[in-house]
Amino acid sequence: MVVTVVVNGTRVTETIPTRLSVTDFLRHRLGLTGTHVGCEQGVCGMCTVVLDGEAVKSCLMYAAQLDGHEVETVESLGDGDALSPLQQAFKSEHGLQCGFCTPAFLMTATALARGGEPLTREEIREELAGVLCRCTGYEFIVNAVERHLGARPGAADD
């Protein structure tokens, strides 16, 4: 099967097996290793990417479903060595922890920020609940997302 998809702003056409997952497509076909594989059941959220503006768990989708769509991975954030404002907020708030879950949190927060609606701290926690941090660094992660969304003091400092 041939699939054509825009990945991080670049149009890609690949011949793929019908049952190839989006996660494997991104990691093994395109070399975008920022998307991690955790449970392969959609529970841990490590595989979260943004598909047409919405955060989705890529281990639950077939790459064939990407045909004609746009995907963004953590590699789309920042510019070379320059951090994006969201990445800077994670750095400033010590939300990086071991880093395994960070790409998924960043992509979830990217989708949240595009929603443009102000969120309370509890709403941010609820939105981030689909990604599990085994370092239990949720407080710092929520602080970072809150800071990025402009609801946390110091947001203008970055």
Side-chain angles (χ1 to χ4, degrees):
M1 159 168 225
V2 176
V3 64
T4 298
V5 57
V6 175
V7 180
N8 297 337
T10 301
R11 184 182 167 126
V12 174
T13 299
E14 288 271 329
T15 301
I16 58 168
T18 306
R19 297 181 57 92
L20 181 69
S21 75
V22 171
T23 307
D24 287 341
F25 175 71
L26 294 170
R27 289 183 61 84
H28 302 299
R29 290 293 183 106
L30 303 183
L32 300 170
T33 57
T35 304
H36 294 136
V37 179
C39 66
E40 295 185 85
Q41 299 173 358
V43 176
C44 73
M46 295 303 118
C47 62
T48 302
V49 298
V50 174
L51 175 65
D52 296 333
E54 298 289 326
V56 299
K57 295 178 179 178
S58 64
C59 73
L60 298 179
M61 295 181 64
Y62 291 120
Q65 294 174 280
L66 297 177
D67 195 46
H69 295 276
E70 185 170 343
V71 176
E72 296 167 77
T73 69
V74 72
E75 287 87 354
S76 70
L77 303 177
D79 185 17
D81 289 337
L83 299 178
S84 72
L86 175 59
Q87 290 170 312
Q88 184 59 50
F90 269 69
K91 181 180 175 187
S92 297
E93 295 291 341
H94 308 286
L96 298 172
Q97 308 300 304
C98 79
F100 189 76
C101 66
T102 303
F105 280 113
L106 289 169
M107 298 317 293
T108 301
T110 295
L112 284 177
R114 291 201 183 131
E117 295 182 27
L119 298 174
T120 67
R121 189 168 179 84
E122 285 309 309
E123 290 169 327
I124 292 169
R125 283 186 176 280
E126 187 172 325
E127 293 290 339
L128 296 177
V131 181
L132 302 177
C133 171
R134 296 187 189 279
C135 301
T136 67
Y138 292 104
E139 194 68 19
F140 302 123
I141 292 167
V142 172
N143 289 348
V145 173
E146 189 175 33
R147 182 182 187 122
H148 179 66
L149 297 178
R152 182 168 174 78
D157 297 342
D158 293 331

